[in-house]
Amino acid sequence: MTAVTVHRARAVLPVAGPPLADGAVVVHGDRIVDVGTHDEVTARLGDARVDRVEWDGVLTPGLVNAHTHLQYTHMAEVGQATHRGFETWMQAFMALYEREHDWLGSAAEGVWLSLRSGTSAVAEIVTDPDAGSAVHDAGLSGVVFWEVLGWTDAAWADGGRATVLDQLRSLPSPPPTGISPHAIYSLDTSVIRDLARLARELGVRSHIHAAESAWEDAYVRTGTGELADRWRANGRGEFALLQGGGSGKSVMGYLDGLGALGPTTHLAHGIYVDADDRRLLRERGVSVALCPRSNAVIGLEPPPIADYLREGNPIAVGTDSLSSSPSLNVLDDVVELHRLARAQGYTDDDLHARLFAAATAGGARALGLDIDPAPAGTLAPGARADLAVFPVAATTPGDALAELVESGASEALATLVGGRMLWNADSAKENAGV
Ligand SMILES: [Zn+2]
């Protein structure tokens, strides 16, 4: 047997089980083979050849960023401004987007920032093909989604499917690829229906922006409102929802009617949802990636995190891109969700554990990475060796969990993806001659 590596830390948060003081995770190849206290694990090692790493911090599953566009990492000037709502943000975004960009360089920097903050897997949305290889090149885990937008039913009928298939196939694997129908207001009705069918036929996952802005609701229900007016003025009045006076349904009801909600789909944002919408999402097994800092930058309302928690919806955490967020650090959004949950009246003492689970196991579930033979998002024998280590002042595992959820960590000490150390703060310092 080749050597196993024992990662020992003063606190280990397996997520799959209770926090451990003086814990250890044993890695062989790309898998975790044992998790326990350091004493337990040592007793079980027998005469295996062992490499040992001791970490001065808390060892956790790698974070899962369940909604991002690493391609827009070089568009941070839009995300660092504040906006009055979706319309003004979109104008600022488009003005910068239309300039010349090195999309691959931008996405590669986003990958590096992700690894540096403890993220091992991403739901990455690619809009321009040049950005498509960054996640693959770096060996980051997750799903790379090809973004589909702007199609009318008529254009789609004239070869749309074949075009999207070619675009999807041009993305390098691993990781697995998926389809991201951008949003209900940027795609015509039959296109959304056919993309859901196409994803099922190909056996790939889908990821949709939904219930992000207040505009969407009037647009979907009655084909009216500011967004509908703007589209009509811009020559997009051809969309069936605008022609037909809306669907009479909520955003979630409309998507469900098109066959677009199911366990292989996850949504981003999910802000403007009521109890019926949330119930529908639970019934369909649809996870929502919450991105509260992006919502705040754009000038939207916060997501109803307390309701999602109380009602038991599957949730995950995303940063969105630097074009609408101050950082690609998932823990910064966890900190914001903690603040929001308390402000919205969630008082249960499981909040730390549930929010940290959302950023790890919840993200893995949203991306379909939680399945055998090597599930991600938890520390357990047989799981994928996607690990992160964070510096904390806390000395007990419970305090370390509270510290991560309430204060975050600006940088990880290390990030391992499939057993490979892709970020190590100490070697980064040595290389920089610090
Ligand atoms: Zn987005």
Side-chain angles (χ1 to χ4, degrees):
M1 186 175 168
T2 52
V4 298
T5 305
V6 178
H7 294 269
R8 178 183 188 180
R10 102 172 89 100
V12 172
L13 305 179
V15 177
L20 301 164
D22 189 17
V25 174
V26 185
V27 172
H28 183 236
D30 63 356
R31 303 290 174 88
I32 293 170
V33 292
D34 200 5
V35 180
T37 64
H38 184 253
D39 286 350
E40 289 166 351
V41 160
T42 304
R44 289 193 288 257
L45 275 171
D47 53 5
R49 284 202 299 124
V50 175
D51 294 326
R52 293 179 188 278
V53 189
E54 305 225 346
W55 297 106
D56 183 17
V58 54
L59 176 57
T60 76
L63 303 175
V64 179
N65 188 344
H67 179 68
T68 191
H69 312 246
L70 300 177
Q71 162 175 1
Y72 302 145
T73 299
H74 286 175
M75 293 179 66
E77 67 184 79
V78 182
Q80 278 158 13
T82 46
H83 306 273
R84 291 190 312 278
F86 205 78
E87 182 172 355
T88 54
W89 172 80
M90 196 158 71
Q91 281 166 358
F93 174 89
M94 287 311 298
L96 183 55
Y97 175 81
E98 281 163 2
R99 299 222 297 264
E100 183 90 6
H101 291 276
D102 166 15
W103 290 130
L104 182 57
S106 183
E109 189 179 337
V111 167
W112 182 78
L113 289 170
S114 300
L115 287 167
R116 194 173 165 171
S117 58
T119 295
S120 57
V122 290
E124 161 69 345
I125 298 180
V126 173
T127 308
D128 289 84
D130 287 353
S133 67
V135 170
H136 164 85
D137 295 346
L140 197 61
S141 178
V143 179
V144 174
F145 294 91
W146 176 253
E147 187 166 52
V148 186
L149 76 169
W151 291 91
T152 61
D153 287 348
W156 187 255
D158 188 21
R161 208 176 216 257
T163 302
V164 165
L165 260 177
D166 283 348
Q167 290 164 331
L168 188 62
R169 285 178 177 146
S170 74
L171 294 174
S173 261
T177 56
I179 297 174
S180 179
H182 168 253
I184 51 170
Y185 52 85
S186 58
L187 289 165
D188 218 338
T189 301
S190 342
V191 184
I192 297 175
R193 188 187 290 113
D194 200 40
L195 286 171
R197 216 180 276 137
L198 180 61
R200 280 195 297 276
E201 284 169 23
L202 297 172
V204 302
R205 301 190 68 84
S206 300
H207 182 33
I208 312 172
H209 294 87
E212 180 180 11
S213 75
W215 286 2
E216 275 177 88
D217 200 64
Y219 180 94
V220 166
R221 280 184 205 277
T222 54
T224 59
E226 230 179 297
L227 180 59
D229 294 345
R230 172 183 268 263
W231 269 201
R232 286 192 181 94
N234 290 350
R236 288 206 211 172
E238 199 185 321
F239 282 168
L241 275 179
L242 299 179
Q243 297 275 329
S247 68
K249 296 174 180 167
S250 71
V251 168
M252 297 309 162
Y254 171 70
L255 286 173
D256 193 48
L258 300 178
L261 295 186
T264 57
T265 294
H266 84 286
L267 305 180
H269 302 298
I271 302 170
Y272 298 90
V273 289
D274 63 17
D276 288 340
D277 295 322
R278 292 190 294 270
R279 181 172 37 76
L280 182 59
L281 292 174
R282 291 194 298 279
E283 284 171 4
R284 296 288 181 265
V286 176
S287 297
V288 180
L290 303 171
C291 315
R293 290 182 307 146
S294 165
N295 307 149
V297 164
I298 293 177
L300 306 168
E301 289 175 57
I305 174 66
D307 290 330
Y308 278 127
L309 289 169
R310 278 189 210 108
E311 296 165 12
N313 278 67
I315 55 166
V317 183
T319 60
D320 217 326
S321 77
L322 288 196
S323 76
S324 65
S325 182
S327 79
L328 294 173
N329 187 334
V330 176
L331 287 178
D332 290 342
D333 280 284
V334 170
V335 170
E336 180 62 4
L337 286 170
H338 179 270
R339 190 188 69 74
L340 288 168
R342 290 299 190 218
Q344 291 171 10
Y346 189 87
T347 53
D348 292 5
D349 59 12
D350 61 0
L351 186 57
H352 294 137
R354 289 186 73 185
L355 291 180
F356 196 70
T360 50
R365 174 185 168 155
L367 274 68
L369 305 175
D370 60 336
I371 48 170
D372 288 334
T378 59
L379 305 179
R384 238 180 92 91
D386 290 354
L387 314 176
V389 188
F390 298 99
V392 282
T395 53
T396 70
D399 288 349
L401 173 63
E403 187 177 332
L404 286 183
V405 171
E406 294 195 26
S407 308
S410 59
E411 182 178 277
L413 294 173
T415 307
L416 282 80
V417 182
R420 291 171 60 211
M421 195 161 334
L422 298 187
W423 165 253
N424 181 331
D426 280 345
S427 35
K429 277 186 203 126
E430 276 164 33
N431 292 340
V434 177

